[in-house]
Amino acid sequence: MTRAAVICGLGGWLPPRVVTNDDLPAGLGTSDQWIRTRTGITRRHRADPGSATSDLAVEAGARALASSGEPRADAVVLATTTPDRICPATAPEIATRLGLTGAAAFDMNAACTGFLYGLAAAAGLIATGAADRVLLIGAETYSCLLDPLDRGTAPIFGDGAGAVVLRAGTPEEPGAIGHIDLGSDGTGADLIAVGGGGSRQRMAGRPERDGERYLTMAGREVFKHAVGRMADSCRTVLKRAGQEPADVDRIVAHQANIRILHQLADELGVDRGRVVANIDRVGNTAAASVPLALFHGVADGAVRPGQRTLLTAFGAGLTWGSTLLTWPELAVATGE
């Protein structure tokens, strides 16, 4: 019998501190209206000083395990661009804090596409029999990478975590992960990047230059790539599944910009109302974006059991990915 990875639990967590557009530094030279018009964002959550990505991940992971009805997992996969440390990986500590000591645990960095790459990794662990249950978490504290006076990034990104539990099942079940499309293009590596802190800078034998500790983004180029790459990836997955865009009930895409979400729907020829959006209240949470959008979509009733649901993301690298599934019935706590 073919083993498939089936979503059986879902959880999300946002740090309590809310930063509205009006709370952003005056030195940004922007306004609430400017940010809303260009991004669709009205607020975002920021972790308090002393918090780390693992703290958010543990909260989301615990909620996903509770949603699944069982407190166990054979493997923990953390998708993140903001690990607690460069070394060691953050996932083993998360596993231990969740009572999963002994489980396989590793980090995955595919930036904002990390959750889709994580789904592929989890599906592979289950398909090969290496695990029967996998906890996949997307968690970020992007506030630690932001120049507070860079209006190209500071208003956009927020902190948060989302998680799913996947179990071994059959391809015909609701929640089974279907065809997965993944891709990358390293020629665009500098379009979204943090220049300092890695081996490139350290092996050059020089300290970080001004600004290298911060995330930089070429917004216009990223916008163009994001729409095109996600649309092509979605079409690839749908073709493999023998489906058309019109057959999709909900699209849960990386929450980068409301205009990107709208243009993606237009590119695929589907009504914009089919695209799930929570960017107005959380901003861009990178690898946490897709699972948080699913979490809020389920809590709000926008994502319902039986709906054919298309997941897609695009991020630094450049990376992108998509998959298709029928959304299952889940018990999800609605609190953030």
Side-chain angles (χ1 to χ4, degrees):
M1 182 181 69
T2 301
R3 285 166 60 100
V6 179
I7 293 178
C8 63
L10 175 66
W13 174 254
L14 294 169
R17 183 162 63 99
V18 175
V19 178
T20 68
N21 292 342
D22 290 331
D23 295 329
L24 293 169
L28 275 173
T30 186
S31 67
D32 174 65
Q33 182 180 7
W34 188 91
I35 296 168
R36 287 173 185 254
T37 301
R38 286 161 176 77
T39 68
I41 299 168
T42 63
R43 60 177 179 151
R44 71 287 296 149
H45 290 248
R46 295 275 166 84
D48 289 326
S51 296
T53 294
S54 62
D55 300 319
L56 279 61
V58 166
E59 294 285 357
R63 285 161 174 76
L65 289 169
S67 169
S68 77
E70 292 188 39
R72 65 180 184 86
D74 306 307
V76 176
V77 181
L78 174 67
T80 188
T81 327
T82 56
D84 288 9
R85 309 174 184 87
I86 292 178
C87 180
T90 305
E93 181 181 347
I94 292 168
T96 294
R97 290 172 62 181
L98 289 170
L100 303 174
T101 298
F106 59 92
D107 293 0
M108 173 172 291
N109 181 354
C112 299
T113 318
F115 184 76
L116 269 298
Y117 272 67
L119 281 176
L125 289 169
I126 288 172
T128 60
D132 290 326
R133 290 171 63 86
V134 178
L135 173 61
L136 168 62
I137 307 171
E140 303 281 15
T141 49
Y142 251 65
S143 56
C144 72
L145 299 179
L146 301 179
D147 178 348
L149 297 181
D150 179 2
R151 73 175 186 170
T153 58
I156 294 172
F157 290 90
D159 302 336
V164 296
V165 178
L166 300 109
R167 61 166 175 82
T170 63
E172 296 78 21
E173 291 184 69
I177 303 300
H179 297 281
I180 300 175
D181 175 69
L182 302 174
S184 73
D185 180 2
T187 63
D190 291 334
L191 294 180
I192 316 168
V194 178
S199 64
R200 178 68 62 191
Q201 173 251 313
R202 294 184 180 203
M203 293 302 291
R206 59 169 179 79
E208 288 182 352
R209 298 190 182 104
D210 289 345
E212 277 192 323
R213 61 177 292 192
Y214 295 126
L215 177 78
T216 60
M217 183 168 64
R220 292 182 181 178
E221 283 296 306
V222 169
F223 189 109
K224 178 179 67 176
H225 279 284
V227 173
R229 299 295 194 179
M230 285 194 291
D232 287 345
S233 183
C234 287
R235 293 189 189 101
T236 296
V237 161
L238 289 168
K239 183 178 181 180
R240 290 175 183 169
Q243 304 291 323
E244 298 290 337
D247 299 322
V248 175
D249 299 303
R250 290 291 180 267
I251 298 173
V252 182
H254 169 52
Q255 307 287 302
N257 183 304
I258 193 64
R259 293 184 297 151
I260 288 177
L261 297 178
H262 288 167
Q263 193 163 328
L264 174 63
D266 296 345
E267 183 75 15
L268 292 174
V270 301
D271 189 277
R272 292 179 178 182
R274 297 191 191 185
V275 179
V276 175
N278 69 341
I279 190 170
D280 59 320
R281 51 182 148 160
V282 302
N284 181 341
T285 56
S289 177
V290 170
L292 269 176
L294 281 170
F295 175 70
H296 288 138
V298 171
D300 297 342
V303 178
R304 299 188 298 276
Q307 290 181 327
R308 193 175 299 276
T309 304
L310 181 63
L311 310 183
T312 188
F314 170 86
L318 302 169
T319 59
W320 57 87
S322 302
T323 192
L324 184 68
L325 72 155
T326 299
W327 191 252
E329 182 82 46
L330 295 178
V332 176
T334 57
E336 294 179 346

